[in-house]
Amino acid sequence: MSRFSALYVEDQCRDFPRVQKIIKACSGIPVISCERYGEVFNLKAQNFRLQKRQPGLILAKKHQTFVLAAPPGYGFGNQNSYYFSHLLNCPYDCRYCFLQGMYRSAHYVLFVNYEDFENEIEKTIQSCEGEACYFYSGYDSDSLAFEQYSQFVSYFLPVFQRHPQAVLELRTKSAQIRNLLKNDPIQNIVTAMSFSPEAVTQKLEHRIPSLSKRIEAAKKLQQKGWPIALRFEPLIYHVNYKQDYQRLFQRVFSELDVDQLHSVSMGLFRMPQTFFKNIVKLYPDERLFASHYTTENGITSYPEDIEAEMISTCENSILEYIPKHIYYQCKLDCDDSK
Amino acid sequence: MHHHQDMLNIVVASIHEARPLIDHYAMAKLQGAHPFIIYTRAQLTLIISGLGKINAAAATGYLQALSLDKGMMAWLNLGIAGHRTLEIGQGFMAHRVRDDATGKSYYSPHIYPFPFPSSDLTTVDQVEHRYENDGGYDMEASAYYKIALRSSTLELIHCYKIISDNRQHPVKKMTKETIIALINNRLNEIANILKILVSEVEEFRKLDRSNQEYHEITQRWHFTETQKRQLNTLLQRGSVIYGKSFSSQIKYSSDQTAKTFLAHLKQTLAASKWIL
Ligand code: SF4
């Protein structure tokens, strides 16, 4: 039985071999035609929380804006930083995730015309004229969680293998590393794994694999020679945060080979106020949002003193384990909070 | 009139399609002057719309107006329909309702484990004899969706149809008895849908509990509309943070105004611990 409640398939991509394969892999659920994915996904009168219980998968063709400039302060790259979204929404359910506030629908949208993404990525790489450039996937989703269906990694590994100066970040909370392990490591493909203290995961990161499983996956990749990055974003403030983050760092860094880490970053909880308000409306019963946040220039965040305290405490703590040059703070004006 | 326990509005084209439900749930006719015949019982309200899109839209709108201040409602459009392939007597949930005239479609998500098939449904203006599309045909659903969506959310708006004719056995004039029998045979399925939708609305409304203190506080001082919204948010946050003991945390004093009261309440909440 498939993990989706239904498949919605745009008429224009129904015959794509990639689509046919997914339809076959999802037998037993309704396959529903639609003209454009927006008919299903963008309708206003939908409730993300209700849909999140059992979302469907929409298979669609993207027509434009395949590659976008990454917002300033995002990631570890230089000014040649880009992101692309072949997938919208994610199978996990982190209560702080901005996607809940951004989209009306919890259905997943997979854009299946990978070839067009590839063309645009190639063009962007060429426009950088040999300079290093950085591509972030998993901005509007989790890069690996749907690998079983999307085969996204299998498709894009060779693309980036051809361009060693172009770094691809796969951002994930999953342990779906089979397709990576099947291949020899590629040094410009970085798997960035996000971790939170177990208390945070238990309360706020629903449906994600256990910490042990994910550390295990990171270890396996590292042992095989794949570059691994660690993301502690967003830092979640709570009464025991000092001990909880200390314990997390201790555990993660004792299990992974620090010398082999590509980078380590931390980021604060920030979100456009409109998204924040939407999420509070969906989850008025959620303790996370009942505390005292501040909003400035349309961005909701922890009060400044809390932010300052938390970042300095966690930085001090993390720098006991890692050299400074692999650490950076993600300073997005509007954190993607994921 | 409508009560707060009202949770599910049911739109049915004809009295024959409605009869089995009215009998099964012992529904009573709603008294008073109404442009449509309406039956109610406990959480259910059923309206007989008449055939076709205009009637369906008007009846849906009328029920909507009656239930606007009751909080979130679930909706069900129920009746008989033609279908290209499914067997006569089979019930199905519409997973895509397409208006034949405008091409506009509605897609109710499959979040409930209904143990029967789902299918496309095309809403047509004239009785369908050709069964060209693989799916069902009716004459009301798209109009019902269009209107119900104005006050509810897609997940709570559904359309369940029972096949009365198909390509092998095309439309013919149906007797009252045949229609009643078709619906009666699927009463268990229908009861199951009603139960699921009602409990869904119950859950939904629990989230929307208006705070007990709200009324009392807004009586004490004059609050502007913006201040009322702020108050509501603060009270909601307070009850999430402190639970039942919240009301004892609220301090009133006679020298306060709405503004200072809000400021004080805000301060109290800001001082609360950050707990996951
Ligand atoms: S934060 Fe990341 S893993 Fe969590 S729900 Fe959002 S996209 Fe998925």
Side-chain angles (χ1 to χ4, degrees):
Chain A
M1 192 58 195
S2 160
R3 67 201 295 179
F4 311 114
S5 57
L7 274 184
Y8 297 89
V9 183
E10 275 187 354
D11 295 334
Q12 57 180 330
C13 55
R14 181 128 191 166
D15 297 333
F16 289 11
R18 192 168 293 125
V19 168
Q20 285 302 322
K21 234 172 150 177
I22 296 173
I23 293 178
K24 225 167 141 195
C26 295
S27 64
I29 58 169
V31 180
I32 304 163
S33 307
C34 61
E35 269 158 45
R36 294 285 293 125
Y37 82 93
E39 291 178 319
V40 187
F41 193 68
N42 292 337
L43 188 88
K44 232 176 130 202
Q46 308 197 65
N47 184 290
F48 193 99
R49 181 174 183 168
L50 287 177
Q51 275 186 26
K52 190 70 190 173
R53 243 190 269 161
Q54 191 63 289
L57 172 63
I58 304 173
L59 302 175
K61 183 174 173 194
K62 196 168 171 70
H63 291 274
Q64 52 189 3
T65 54
F66 295 94
V67 176
L68 289 152
Y74 186 78
F76 49 81
N78 56 11
Q79 72 281 9
N80 297 332
S81 294
Y82 306 91
Y83 75 94
F84 60 94
S85 299
H86 68 292
L87 184 60
L88 313 180
N89 277 333
C90 132
Y92 307 132
D93 189 15
C94 306
R95 196 52 63 245
Y96 51 74
C97 180
F98 79 105
L99 296 174
Q100 320 162 87
M102 186 162 81
Y103 298 134
R104 297 278 171 184
S105 168
H107 290 320
Y108 316 112
V109 182
L110 177 67
F111 294 114
V112 289
N113 47 330
Y114 293 174
E115 295 73 10
D116 293 326
F117 280 95
E118 180 188 351
N119 284 340
E120 288 300 312
I121 289 169
E122 292 270 6
K123 270 193 216 155
T124 311
I125 295 173
Q126 271 156 28
S127 74
C128 295
E129 298 174 335
E131 276 183 27
C133 50
Y134 302 85
F135 291 86
Y136 301 94
S137 86
Y139 189 78
D140 294 313
S141 183
D142 183 288
S143 304
L144 299 183
F146 274 149
E147 188 54 23
Q148 179 193 355
Y149 299 96
S150 69
Q151 298 294 314
F152 159 79
V153 165
S154 307
Y155 186 90
F156 281 95
L157 289 189
V159 176
F160 281 85
Q161 198 166 21
R162 290 199 295 270
H163 302 285
Q165 80 280 24
V167 177
L168 170 67
E169 182 194 83
L170 302 168
R171 175 77 66 104
T172 192
K173 283 199 181 93
S174 85
Q176 290 272 352
I177 51 166
R178 212 174 313 146
N179 280 355
L180 286 168
L181 288 180
K182 273 199 285 199
N183 290 276
D184 287 335
I186 301 170
Q187 289 314 310
N188 55 319
I189 296 188
V190 180
T191 307
M193 298 197 148
S194 303
F195 292 105
S196 300
E198 287 208 277
V200 172
T201 300
Q202 246 176 42
K203 282 276 163 74
L204 303 175
E205 297 175 334
H206 310 291
R207 307 183 196 179
I208 70 168
S210 70
L211 183 60
S212 319
K213 250 196 185 153
R214 291 183 301 128
I215 293 180
E216 203 45 47
K219 247 161 105 173
K220 276 193 191 145
L221 285 174
Q222 236 188 6
Q223 281 159 1
K224 184 117 200 251
W226 283 93
I228 291 294
L230 302 181
R231 306 281 171 252
F232 300 96
E233 298 171 29
L235 294 174
I236 298 290
Y237 188 70
H238 56 283
V239 274
N240 292 326
Y241 87 94
K242 285 182 193 162
Q243 299 90 304
D244 284 349
Y245 277 97
Q246 257 163 20
R247 213 174 301 142
L248 175 70
F249 298 151
Q250 205 275 331
R251 174 154 180 207
V252 171
F253 294 117
S254 67
E255 300 222 30
L256 296 175
D257 181 351
V258 172
D259 296 333
Q260 300 299 320
L261 285 176
H262 169 274
S263 59
V264 176
S265 70
M266 289 197 286
L268 290 158
F269 173 81
R270 299 226 162 141
M271 190 183 290
Q273 186 188 25
T274 44
F275 295 179
F276 189 84
K277 279 189 167 168
N278 289 343
I279 300 177
V280 175
K281 248 187 241 153
L282 288 172
Y283 293 92
D285 49 341
E286 175 60 57
R287 182 68 176 85
L288 177 71
F289 307 125
S291 294
H292 178 63
Y293 292 84
T294 54
T295 299
E296 231 172 279
N297 301 326
I299 303 296
T300 302
S301 66
Y302 293 127
E304 221 174 296
D305 53 333
I306 288 186
E307 281 192 340
E309 178 205 301
M310 192 166 38
I311 206 84
S312 92
T313 308
C314 290
E315 268 181 8
N316 286 339
S317 175
I318 212 167
L319 290 172
E320 286 175 21
Y321 299 95
I322 56 165
K324 212 168 179 173
H325 71 270
I326 64 165
Y327 170 77
Y328 71 92
Q329 186 193 336
C330 182
K331 279 196 180 133
L332 206 52
D333 272 347
C334 152
D335 192 289
D336 75 334
S337 296
K338 35 185 298 227
Chain B
M1 270 314 291
H2 260 211
H3 305 291
H4 279 286
Q5 63 175 12
D6 297 348
M7 294 193 180
L8 175 58
N9 286 331
I10 307 170
V11 180
V12 184
S14 74
I15 184 71
H16 305 321
E17 289 163 293
R19 180 56 62 200
L21 264 87
I22 295 168
D23 292 348
H24 181 77
Y25 290 98
M27 297 176 107
K29 213 174 193 172
L30 188 65
Q31 297 305 309
H34 300 285
F36 295 91
I37 296 172
I38 298 171
Y39 287 86
T40 62
R41 181 76 185 195
Q43 302 100 332
L44 312 178
T45 307
L46 182 152
I47 194 163
I48 313 288
S49 67
L51 292 186
K53 274 159 44 180
I54 293 179
N55 283 328
T60 307
Y62 188 69
L63 265 197
Q64 199 163 45
L66 286 185
S67 54
L68 258 192
D69 57 346
K70 310 297 182 225
M72 185 54 82
M73 301 287 297
W75 290 81
L76 182 68
N77 171 222
L78 184 147
I80 54 171
H83 200 284
R84 183 179 160 111
T85 49
L86 288 182
E87 273 182 32
I88 291 177
Q90 171 76 59
F92 73 91
M93 217 68 186
H95 52 218
R96 175 189 188 180
V97 170
R98 187 178 162 278
D99 188 284
D100 192 46
T102 64
K104 169 96 183 140
S105 293
Y106 304 92
Y107 304 83
S108 283
H110 273 239
I111 51 175
Y112 313 112
F114 293 126
F116 43 84
S118 67
S119 169
D120 280 6
L121 177 71
T122 305
T123 300
V124 290
D125 292 324
Q126 306 293 332
V127 178
E128 174 66 31
H129 295 284
R130 289 163 299 155
Y131 306 91
E132 267 176 354
N133 303 331
D134 188 14
Y137 290 92
D138 88 329
M139 298 180 76
E140 290 86 25
S142 66
Y144 147 86
Y145 262 92
K146 184 169 181 161
I147 303 302
L149 274 169
R150 287 171 174 259
S151 64
S152 187
T153 177
L154 192 58
E155 302 75 22
L156 298 178
I157 304 173
H158 291 276
C159 176
Y160 173 81
K161 299 276 169 169
I162 295 159
I163 317 293
S164 57
D165 51 275
N166 57 25
R167 206 149 57 152
Q168 257 92 51
H169 306 93
V171 187
K172 53 180 188 329
K173 192 136 181 57
M174 289 228 260
T175 63
K176 167 183 160 186
E177 288 71 26
T178 318
I179 297 173
I180 291 177
L182 281 169
I183 308 276
N184 251 330
N185 285 339
R186 293 286 162 189
L187 258 185
N188 284 345
E189 253 172 40
I190 296 169
N192 185 21
I193 300 170
L194 302 193
K195 215 166 100 194
I196 290 176
L197 291 180
V198 164
S199 79
E200 222 20 64
V201 173
E202 262 164 359
E203 284 303 305
F204 199 96
R205 290 206 191 153
K206 270 189 208 152
L207 292 176
D208 204 21
R209 244 175 333 195
S210 47
N211 207 288
Q212 292 165 0
E213 283 76 24
Y214 180 83
H215 187 68
E216 195 194 319
I217 297 169
T218 46
Q219 297 295 309
R220 277 183 187 246
W221 300 288
H222 172 73
F223 284 78
T224 64
E225 285 307 309
T226 316
Q227 285 174 329
K228 277 185 187 164
R229 273 200 299 278
Q230 279 173 0
L231 176 67
N232 207 11
T233 312
L234 290 171
L235 290 176
Q236 185 131 40
R237 280 177 49 203
S239 63
V240 175
I241 294 174
Y242 297 105
K244 289 211 171 73
S245 73
F246 179 48
S247 37
S248 60
Q249 310 258 341
I250 305 177
K251 304 266 180 298
Y252 305 102
S253 66
S254 53
D255 57 347
Q256 278 176 320
T257 61
K259 197 173 164 194
T260 57
F261 177 80
L262 284 174
H264 187 251
L265 192 57
K266 211 170 163 183
Q267 245 173 22
T268 311
L269 297 184
S272 68
K273 288 205 169 107
W274 290 75
I275 293 176
L276 285 173

